[in-house]
Amino acid sequence: MTEKDVFQTIDDVFIENESRDLFAPLDEDERAAQNASDGNIGDGNGDRPGEGATDAPRKRSLISRRSRSDTVFQTVAFAAGATTVGIMLAVGLFLSIRAGSALQVAGFSFLFTQEWSPETQNFGIAAVLFGTITIAVIALCVGFPLALGTALLLSEVVRGRVRSFLVSLVDLMAAVPSIVFGLWGVFFLQAAIVPVAEWISTYFGWIPFFAVTGEDGARLTEASAFTSSAFIAGIVVGLMVVPTQASVMREAFSQAPIGEREGAFALGATRWGMITTVVLPFGRGGIIGGTMLGLGRALGETIAVYMIISPLFSINWQVLKTGTNSVSALIALRYGEASEFGLSALMAAGLVLFLITLVVNFTASSIVARSRSGAESL
């Protein structure tokens, strides 16, 4: 090592490196020379340069190893999801196989035939499908405002122990068996609803859906013409789905940002103004999800509808009049006495209801995903 190498000035260093791009990546020869020069530095323990030289330190990997608990959780969650999807596909496959013989005989007329006589090979679900949709729509019209009001009451109005008690009470209502609602609807609610149905028919009978007429077109006034109707069944089913809808909406409303709530009050908004500008826009996804969840429950309700309605295998456009039907009630009514071919026809009806429920759920999921809950409340 010469004196020139030891007392090299900073200017000499800059002049030496002017022709070299300091930020360019090093090639293999330059990287090897740099590593060799780095190895000539002593280890700080009095070693002479060149002694005890080691390889250049390696870069730390930014990829972290997954812990055992994370691996177990991911495996269990994946297994649960795969099991759920597998069960759903298995149910659909089972219904498709069992319904094959009936669908081969009926064809597309299965969706447009009102009669139900598998023994004579004249059967279809037009009437029962219309009754199912009618009962579900009435249930939504009854249950949606009650569920929305209950959710707003629990999340925005009551506080403390009263709120905890009411939340527990509403959640407990979701566990009440369907047969209890059916018995309550038959022996109590029906007698109380018949006068209401008569009043609606009297003052709104000019609307075809609310008219109650006989075969000759004359208006019916006796109370027996208003019992066991789609209107009464829809009210009972609507009250059944209220707890489920209210719970989903309440959870969505309670997640509204506190800062936006306080900001609305600071700008002079009333409580109702804060709810309309902050809580409802933020909870839009919960409102849609809870409503569609209630619709799926209403479409598949069996026991309560079966106990209330008077089975009718023709399309009844008058929702206040006695007589209607549903797919689930049809299966419960005819399953015990059905022949092998009749059982296949019932499986075909169940397959249609299964597909309708899937369409409703997937539609609700897409709407909730596109709603971007809370984005418009800013």
Side-chain angles (χ1 to χ4, degrees), residues 170 234 261:
V170 172
R261 295 171 182 262

Side-chain angles (χ1 to χ4, degrees), residues 42 149 173 190 251 282 324 327 354:
M173 288 179 60
Q190 184 167 242
E251 289 297 330
F282 187 87
T324 187
V327 175
F354 177 77

Side-chain angles (χ1 to χ4, degrees), residues 46-304:
D47 296 340
R48 295 176 58 188
E51 294 181 2
T54 59
D55 295 337
R58 297 181 180 179
K59 295 181 179 180
R60 292 184 58 187
S61 176
L62 298 180
I63 302 176
S64 60
R65 297 184 60 183
R66 185 178 300 163
S67 62
R68 181 177 301 177
S69 59
D70 290 341
T71 303
V72 172
F73 172 76
Q74 182 179 9
T75 303
V76 173
F78 180 81
T83 303
T84 303
V85 175
I87 292 175
M88 182 186 67
L89 295 177
V91 171
L93 181 62
F94 168 77
L95 293 175
S96 301
I97 294 175
R98 295 298 301 270
S101 58
L103 293 177
Q104 289 178 357
V105 173
F108 286 102
S109 62
F110 181 73
L111 298 176
F112 306 103
T113 304
Q114 300 185 31
E115 293 79 10
W116 185 264
S117 180
E119 292 75 12
T120 61
Q121 297 187 355
N122 183 23
F123 60 97
I125 61 170
V128 295
L129 191 60
F130 177 82
T132 301
I133 297 175
T134 302
I135 294 173
V137 171
I138 295 174
L140 283 187
C141 293
V142 173
F144 175 76
L146 293 176
L148 182 61
T150 303
L152 291 176
L153 174 68
L154 296 178
S155 63
E156 306 300 327
V157 179
V158 296
R159 291 290 184 268
R161 294 183 178 180
V162 177
R163 180 180 182 274
S164 301
F165 173 76
L166 293 179
V167 169
S168 302
L169 185 62
V170 172
D171 293 340
L172 184 62
M173 288 179 60
V176 177
S178 301
I179 191 171
V180 175
F181 278 97
L183 292 173
W184 175 72
V186 171
F187 294 104
F188 174 78
L189 185 64
Q190 184 167 242
I193 291 298
V194 167
V196 178
E198 293 177 347
W199 182 86
I200 295 175
S201 177
T202 301
Y203 293 98
F204 297 94
W206 50 273
I207 302 177
F209 287 102
F210 297 142
V212 178
T213 59
E215 296 180 357
D216 56 352
R219 179 174 173 271
L220 300 178
T221 58
E222 58 271 14
S224 59
F226 296 89
T227 59
S228 304
S229 63
F231 179 66
I232 298 176
I235 292 177
V236 174
V237 175
L239 296 177
M240 291 178 58
V241 302
V242 163
T244 303
Q245 292 177 317
S247 297
V248 176
M249 296 180 188
R250 173 178 56 81
E251 289 297 330
F253 295 157
S254 62
Q255 299 301 320
I258 298 178
E260 294 188 20
R261 295 171 182 262
E262 295 178 349
F265 285 131
L267 293 175
T270 61
R271 183 179 296 274
W272 175 245
M274 183 274 295
I275 291 174
T276 56
T277 57
V278 177
V279 177
L280 291 180
F282 187 87
R284 183 175 303 170
I287 295 174
I288 297 174
T291 303
M292 292 302 173
L293 185 63
L295 177 60
R297 172 75 184 276
L299 288 172
E301 181 53 42
T302 304
I303 299 300

Side-chain angles (χ1 to χ4, degrees), residues 304-325:
V305 175
Y306 173 75
M307 296 179 64
I308 294 173
I309 65 172
S310 176
L312 181 67
F313 292 99
S314 62
I315 295 178
N316 182 13
W317 297 94
Q318 301 176 355
V319 297
L320 301 177
K321 185 179 178 180
T322 300
T324 187
N325 216 327

